[in-house]
Amino acid sequence: MGRSSARPWEAIGRYRRYWLSTFIILPACGAGLMLVQVLADRLPLWLEIPTLLIFVLLFAWISAGFWTAVVGFILLMRGRTDTVPGNPELRLAEPRPQSRVAIVMPIYNEEVERVAAGLQATYKSLQHAGALAHFEFFLLSDTRDPAIWLREELVWSALCQSLDAFGRIHYRRRPINNKAKSGNVADFCRRWGKNYEYMVVLDADSVMNGETLYRMLEMMEGNPQVGIIQTQPLAVNRETLYARLQQFAQHLYGPIFSAGLRFWQLGDGHYIGHNAILRTVPFTQYCALPVLPGRAPLGGPLLSHDFVEAALMAKSGWEVWFVPSLSGSYEEVPPTLIDDLKRDRRWAQGNLQHLRLLAGEGLRPAHRFLFINGAMSFLAAPLWGIFLILGALGSLHWANTANNGSTTLFDWSWLADPMPFWLFGVTIILLLSPKFMAVLWVMYQRGQKEHFGGLFNLLASMFFESLFSILMAPIRMAFHSQFVIQTLMGRGVHWGGQVRGDQETSWVDAFRYFGWYSALGLSLAALLYPFLGLWHFVWLVPILGGLTAAVPIAAWTSRPALGRWARRHRLFVIPEEVRVPPELQALSADSVAYLPHIEGDPFIQVVVDPRFNAIHTALQRNRTGAWPRAANLCHKALEQGPQELNNRERNILLSDRNSMLALHRAVWSTADRARLAAWGLQSDEWKLTDV
């Protein structure tokens, strides 16, 4: 079903976005006029014009975030749900008996126990909600490491046995992981999508409440014009100081931004690739990702797929709604600054690719804006950098001109003109006032302060989080600028496995990744101070101080011990730590204690152990085309031992059912003591035990 000729929310959405555009453009132009007065007759045109243009662009960009927060704050303080016509929250329908939902979890070289714990928590929550009959689960593996692959199979089998869920929890591994996650999901849609009207996509670290999943199904059933419903996942479960800062910021500031974003978007919402429900048929039919002309990184396959899939869904006439009021949706954030920046590197390339889609025929204006906003998340960094360089050059020119070329420690002429202070004050208000609005919103709700550790701890946490944000801003600016330059110069990256557990950044790694930036901060401080004087230099202290402190910030914020210390002192507390939801309680280590424990080489065990071999071969198919090569590898494994096989050769054997059955029979049939020893049959190393 496509869209009707007129949808009531569209006119409302256009009206709201016109006002948003006005609120962005007019203040930016006003700030630009103020800057003109500051710069007039003080800078040469070659400095004044680019400084003015970049300032207006950056002011407009931060204004968009400010007005989104203001609208969200007003909506939350009013305590009313947006009752715009077409709101899917207002039109629920009980699911038909034949309604089926596939919950798919693409995984790639993940920590298998954490994946199983999250899937189990979601499964049990659905079971507790009495809604399990409508849902089935799919673990979609793109794992390349044979040891992790075999572990996935064994854990899947044990999980199904523990939950009595054979036939409801499925496992599939692709031999070739074409197009990464988006290709993984697309492969599922082609093979099994016709059997499921809806699909919920989860990340490997996602957990969702069963009642929330059922409510999403009710929304889709009651709104046949909706193609995607996106929840707002909340960050939980991390213990490093860096991750706790991110969790606290998202829980405190996120609600006002989410409410405001929903106000502007309406049925032209965004999709972030997980913790969302999709209508399978239109997603399969219309959301195949284009391949950009030219070479990577700006050409070729798209690295970031989610915004594009939402745009294609909307282009084909289906509505996409962001529903932040849906609670019980969780994810985990990168544990360290290094891991966060690695993810940003991939996002930077993907979002810059999106700019090439702006002229695409039929795309809706709201999604074109999302493409621009996503790209600006990274382009803003080099623009800020250029603006600061221009400002430093302007300060040098101004100081030298005012003092006839001499340098001085204090330049009191700045104090004679209040306009720079007005501009600085307005910019600070735009950047920091959303934080105070979020605190006011929490204080306004009865009992909500205690969910953040009490009022004093809430304010202290906001202060320290803001301090860390100021210090980390120039580090991000430097790295994001580097990412943009690398992408424009043709240096691309690919998606890889992500770090899910808490881990520390060693001082060696901190110096390796951030040492250049600390040295840059120190060098610039030593270079600029004599020329700028104290008063001009003070304006650069937050930037240069953050760069200089990059190494210790990266190392110290990665410490789980510091995160646990902050929690003991009720700093950076989030509501899910005060009242832990049942589905998060289920993630504790003992919840997967039934999972089997493997000692030794998993490849040897899958060949030797009858039960493990049966599980694995049942999940494979006969690949007759690969048999000549596989037969040679079987001979090599038997004659030279399994240790002589590399990962690629092991994957060839593991992917062929006949090869694994033949190896199993051959090993158990041999009487050669040396061959038996090579396969561990004379030791206890291969034995499969349960903990």
Side-chain angles (χ1 to χ4, degrees):
M1 173 182 176
R3 66 174 181 178
S4 58
S5 57
R7 293 180 285 192
W9 58 264
E10 288 186 292
I12 299 173
R14 283 194 298 269
Y15 178 77
R16 292 177 177 180
R17 292 167 203 152
Y18 289 152
W19 276 108
L20 174 62
S21 301
T22 302
F23 289 149
I24 292 173
I25 294 172
L26 290 184
C29 292
L33 291 175
M34 294 173 66
L35 186 61
V36 168
Q37 297 181 40
V38 173
L39 301 180
D41 301 324
R42 294 173 175 171
L43 294 182
L45 283 178
W46 67 271
L47 273 177
E48 181 178 349
I49 292 176
T51 301
L52 179 63
L53 292 177
I54 293 175
F55 174 79
V56 170
L57 180 59
L58 292 173
F59 194 94
W61 187 62
I62 63 176
S63 293
F66 169 77
W67 290 112
T68 298
V70 168
V71 169
F73 175 69
I74 294 173
L75 290 173
L76 292 177
M77 292 296 286
R78 287 175 59 194
R80 295 183 183 177
T81 303
D82 193 354
T83 56
V84 65
N87 183 350
E89 298 164 89
L90 304 178
R91 208 163 30 179
L92 306 178
E94 184 175 348
R96 294 158 291 138
Q98 66 270 29
S99 296
R100 301 182 70 196
V101 184
I103 299 179
V104 302
M105 183 182 284
I107 54 177
Y108 177 78
N109 289 345
E110 301 286 352
E111 181 184 335
V112 186
E113 287 75 13
R114 171 58 184 85
V115 170
L119 193 148
Q120 175 184 258
T122 303
Y123 184 97
K124 287 187 172 181
S125 186
L126 268 171
Q127 197 172 42
H128 181 74
L132 193 57
H134 294 285
F135 295 85
E136 293 185 22
F137 291 75
F138 286 81
L139 276 173
L140 305 178
S141 175
D142 264 344
T143 294
R144 300 296 97 191
D145 187 322
I148 300 176
W149 167 17
L150 296 174
R151 180 71 178 156
E152 289 171 356
E153 292 180 346
L154 201 59
V155 166
W156 163 77
S157 175
L159 183 64
C160 290
Q161 186 174 2
S162 172
L163 298 174
D164 192 21
F166 285 106
R168 191 166 294 278
I169 300 178
H170 310 273
Y171 174 85
R172 186 275 282 136
R173 175 188 175 273
R174 286 197 302 169
I176 301 175
N177 57 346
N178 185 36
K179 295 185 178 179
K181 178 183 175 180
S182 61
N184 198 354
V185 175
D187 178 79
F188 166 82
C189 291
R190 287 192 299 268
R191 294 173 181 269
W192 297 283
K194 62 181 179 295
N195 299 323
Y196 301 91
E197 190 171 354
Y198 309 109
M199 173 175 62
V200 173
V201 182
L202 301 181
D203 262 359
D205 56 12
S206 296
V207 177
M208 292 197 70
N209 174 271
E211 293 181 359
T212 300
L213 287 166
Y214 188 73
R215 176 57 60 90
M216 294 164 69
L217 175 57
E218 289 179 321
M219 288 183 188
M220 295 297 273
E221 289 281 89
N223 298 271
Q225 79 286 358
V226 173
I228 300 176
I229 291 177
Q230 175 66 60
T231 68
Q232 177 58 65
L234 297 176
V236 294
N237 286 345
R238 284 285 184 252
E239 290 194 332
T240 64
L241 180 59
Y242 180 83
R244 292 191 61 78
L245 288 164
Q246 305 304 309
Q247 290 175 177
F248 172 80
Q250 190 210 42
H251 281 74
L252 181 59
Y253 315 135
I256 62 172
F257 283 103
S258 295
L261 192 60
R262 160 60 184 270
F263 181 82
W264 305 125
Q265 289 181 340
L266 297 180
D268 285 324
H270 64 281
Y271 167 55
I272 62 173
H274 59 93
N275 292 53
I277 188 169
L278 305 90
R279 202 174 294 270
T280 310
V281 170
F283 182 82
T284 306
Q285 185 174 355
Y286 299 114
C287 296
L289 297 177
V291 177
L292 298 176
R295 298 174 59 183
L298 292 177
L302 291 166
L303 199 63
S304 295
H305 59 93
D306 33 31
F307 276 21
V308 179
E309 289 163 343
L312 294 174
M313 183 72 83
K315 173 185 175 181
S316 64
W318 296 86
E319 298 177 11
V320 180
W321 286 85
F322 172 47
V323 186
S325 61
L326 284 168
S327 60
S329 179
Y330 307 104
E331 64 174 348
E332 295 174 356
V333 294
T336 69
L337 180 58
I338 289 178
D339 294 310
D340 206 5
L341 290 171
K342 287 180 179 178
R343 186 179 65 174
D344 281 353
R345 176 64 182 92
R346 298 185 287 261
W347 282 355
Q349 179 175 322
N351 285 342
L352 290 176
Q353 286 180 311
H354 293 169
L355 292 178
R356 299 190 60 187
L357 302 174
L358 286 176
E361 184 180 355
L363 293 180
R364 296 178 63 81
H367 289 99
R368 297 183 201 271
F369 176 78
L370 284 174
F371 289 162
I372 294 172
N373 190 58
M376 274 299 295
S377 299
F378 296 95
L379 289 173
L383 289 175
W384 276 115
I386 295 171
F387 181 75
L388 291 171
I389 292 171
L390 292 173
L393 292 174
S395 295
L396 286 171
H397 176 85
W398 195 345
N400 290 332
T401 302
N403 295 281
N404 296 320
S406 64
T407 59
T408 181
L409 188 63
F410 295 99
D411 180 12
W412 300 106
S413 63
W414 271 80
L415 297 176
D417 187 356
M419 200 64 72
F421 297 97
W422 279 103
L423 279 176
F424 178 75
V426 170
T427 304
I428 290 298
I429 288 173
L430 292 181
L431 291 172
L432 297 184
S433 60
K435 296 177 182 287
F436 292 97
M437 286 188 275
V439 171
L440 288 175
W441 159 238
V442 170
M443 293 172 60
Y444 177 75
Q445 299 177 88
R446 180 176 299 178
Q448 191 67 15
K449 298 185 293 294
E450 285 67 30
H451 292 166
F452 288 91
L455 179 59
F456 175 80
N457 291 305
L458 170 64
L459 295 174
S461 297
M462 187 196 76
F463 172 78
F464 287 117
E465 186 278 329
S466 300
L467 179 62
F468 273 104
S469 295
I470 292 171
L471 290 173
M472 285 191 283
I475 303 173
R476 289 187 181 277
M477 180 187 71
F479 272 91
H480 286 185
S481 299
Q482 175 185 326
F483 299 160
V484 170
I485 293 170
Q486 287 175 337
T487 302
L488 295 179
M489 291 180 63
R491 293 179 58 186
V493 293
H494 302 281
W495 282 104
Q498 300 184 61
V499 176
R500 303 291 185 184
D502 290 313
Q503 66 175 26
E504 295 188 3
T505 298
S506 68
W507 285 99
V508 172
D509 286 337
F511 274 102
R512 182 160 60 93
Y513 281 95
F514 300 96
W516 287 105
Y517 295 100
S518 291
L520 177 64
L522 284 171
S523 301
L524 288 175
L527 177 67
L528 293 175
Y529 180 79
F531 291 95
L532 294 180
L534 178 62
W535 182 249
H536 290 81
F537 184 78
V538 164
W539 295 81
L540 295 177
V541 166
I543 294 95
L544 299 179
L547 286 175
T548 302
V551 170
I553 286 175
W556 287 336
T557 58
S558 74
R559 302 293 186 254
L562 286 178
R564 289 190 287 268
W565 178 90
R567 182 173 180 178
R568 287 196 303 271
H569 290 80
R570 301 183 67 77
L571 292 173
F572 316 121
V573 173
I574 59 175
E576 284 75 14
E577 293 172 337
V578 177
R579 292 184 179 178
V580 184
E583 53 271 20
L584 296 184
Q585 293 179 16
L587 288 177
S588 60
D590 59 350
S591 66
V592 291
Y594 62 87
L595 294 180
H597 176 65
I598 296 180
E599 297 177 358
D601 187 341
F603 179 78
I604 293 177
Q605 294 180 50
V606 76
V607 171
V608 173
D609 185 88
R611 177 175 169 270
F612 198 177
N613 185 267
I615 292 171
H616 176 76
T617 54
L619 294 169
Q620 310 308 313
R621 59 189 179 93
N622 296 328
R623 303 181 184 276
T624 54
W627 175 243
R629 174 76 187 281
N632 290 333
L633 292 177
C634 285
H635 180 75
K636 177 180 178 180
L638 291 170
E639 293 299 321
Q640 302 179 29
Q643 295 80 9
E644 298 302 315
L645 299 175
N646 59 38
N647 279 352
R648 185 172 179 273
E649 293 171 332
R650 290 184 176 202
N651 279 334
I652 292 173
L653 290 174
L654 289 168
S655 299
D656 180 46
R657 182 174 180 270
N658 278 336
S659 297
M660 296 307 296
L661 290 174
L663 268 178
H664 178 71
R665 287 192 294 265
V667 168
W668 278 102
S669 300
T670 186
D672 188 319
R673 290 182 176 273
R675 185 176 294 177
L676 287 172
W679 290 95
L681 288 178
Q682 292 182 347
S683 69
D684 295 329
E685 294 180 1
W686 67 273
K687 291 183 180 178
L688 193 68
T689 59
D690 292 329
V691 176

